[in-house]
Amino acid sequence: MSASPLLLIGCGKMGGAMLSGWLAGSEAAGGVHVVEPHSASMGDLASRKGVTVHASADTVPDGLAPGTVVLAVKPQSMDEALVPLKRFVAPGTCFLSIAAGKTIGYFEKHLGSSAAVVRAMPNTPAAVGRGITAYVANANVNGGQKAQAHRLLEAVGEAMEADSEDWIDAVTALSGGGPAYVFLLIEALAAAGVKAGLPEEFAMRLARATVSGSGELARQSSEPASQLRINVTSPGGTTAEALKVLMDPAAGIQPIFDRAIAAATARSKELAG
Ligand SMILES: NC(=O)c1ccc[n+]([C@@H]2O[C@H](COP(=O)([O-])OP(=O)(O)OC[C@H]3O[C@@H](n4cnc5c(N)ncnc54)[C@H](OP(=O)(O)O)[C@@H]3O)[C@@H](O)[C@H]2O)c1
């Protein structure tokens, strides 16, 4: 049996990263139809074997019967993007959205209650194959479709199924926005290094390599993060002094992160209406 084709709607930063991942593996074996108004911005992806680019969904053949339609347009473009896609709603076709704030209920409203829908929340390290995506499926999604959605998302990093759509607001706050908090950590470490007497560029290089190297160590190690922290902390040493400040229950980073994630979670709920 030959693999079903994929239909990718929107091939910007996220859609392009996913398409690259599928082409590097075997996910695009059935061919990929891409709807992207700015095909020039797709670079060499547009001319890769098995990729057919359409400037609009209107030219996608009616009989395509895609296994999965991946929705990777900005949330504000979604209403318009879905109109010409209704004709692909069928039991054999799953709609996989990565748009922030667009709920399963929203897609059921626009595509009909029989549509198979997976709602996913990826993050930007997907651009280097190191993203993490949490997703949730509606009851119309069968086991094979869920497995394919998982594989399509895994092409740009890790993928995890959430037990409930209620988790997605906190996922958005934690891992969706998480890369921004880590980049802020680089900036804050470098700025503090400058205040401690280092030249700016020197401090920035130390901070950037420290954060990315620690991330890689955390990825490769099987030890819990708390143990990796303890491994750097000699009793009575310099790191222990810094951690007394950072781990202060009232003024350390935990209460700040608690507030930040709660604020982002609340905003995610608000935006989803
Ligand atoms: N970037 C992130 O950090 C991140 C993280 C998690 C989830 N996401 C989600 O990923 C989705 C894509 O984000 P992105 O950063 O990849 O956006 P992007 O770079 O703007 O890519 C979206 C592309 O889709 C095109 N497009 C607009 N309307 C279309 C239509 N009707 N049919 C086909 N293509 C259309 C856009 O063209 P125009 O420029 O002309 O509109 C653009 O080229 C968003 O929904 C976002 O919420 C992003």
Side-chain angles (χ1 to χ4, degrees):
M1 205 181 79
S2 63
S4 304
L6 299 171
L7 177 54
L8 172 63
I9 310 299
C11 195
K13 290 182 281 298
M14 278 289 171
M18 292 178 83
L19 179 58
S20 298
W22 304 337
L23 291 167
S26 57
E27 292 312 317
V32 186
H33 283 253
V34 178
V35 179
E36 170 53 59
H38 314 286
S39 60
S41 65
M42 286 175 62
D44 80 325
L45 285 175
S47 55
R48 296 282 296 275
K49 192 168 168 279
V51 174
T52 310
V53 183
H54 304 264
S56 112
D58 298 331
T59 57
V60 178
D62 280 341
L64 183 71
T68 306
V69 180
V70 178
L71 302 163
V73 299
K74 293 275 190 212
Q76 61 270 27
S77 306
M78 195 61 83
D79 282 12
E80 193 189 325
L82 291 179
V83 174
L85 300 177
K86 277 190 198 159
R87 65 194 158 111
F88 295 113
V89 175
T93 297
C94 178
F95 288 78
L96 166 58
S97 162
I98 61 162
K102 293 294 177 196
T103 63
I104 285 181
Y106 164 89
F107 291 105
E108 289 172 345
K109 185 172 146 223
H110 286 260
L111 297 170
S113 59
S114 66
V117 179
V118 174
R119 176 185 176 190
M121 186 63 209
N123 63 8
T124 53
V128 293
R130 291 282 174 79
I132 182 150
T133 304
Y135 64 90
V136 63
N138 76 355
N140 301 324
V141 177
N142 65 36
Q145 289 170 327
K146 200 189 282 184
Q148 178 168 47
H150 189 100
R151 286 194 305 272
L152 292 171
L153 296 168
E154 261 191 338
V156 287
E158 294 180 47
M160 284 198 302
E161 185 176 4
D163 287 0
S164 156
E165 190 175 9
D166 293 345
W167 293 8
I168 299 294
D169 295 308
V171 167
T172 303
L174 197 163
S175 56
Y181 323 147
V182 174
F183 300 137
L184 175 63
L185 174 63
I186 296 177
E187 295 174 70
L189 272 175
V194 170
K195 284 173 196 150
L198 295 172
E200 208 168 304
E201 267 182 43
F202 199 87
M204 181 50 82
R205 187 169 160 194
L206 289 172
R208 198 172 172 125
T210 299
V211 170
S212 57
S214 305
E216 187 59 21
L217 182 58
R219 192 180 77 89
Q220 288 189 25
S221 172
S222 56
E223 290 190 298
S226 55
Q227 187 58 49
L228 292 172
R229 167 175 53 74
I230 289 164
N231 294 349
V232 192
T233 316
S234 315
T238 56
T239 310
E241 281 307 300
L243 288 177
K244 273 187 211 162
V245 178
L246 293 169
M247 295 177 76
D248 183 280
I253 62 168
Q254 190 61 59
I256 291 177
F257 267 104
D258 291 348
R259 284 200 340 258
I261 298 299
T265 304
R267 182 68 180 144
S268 174
K269 283 193 204 328
E270 242 172 56
L271 290 175

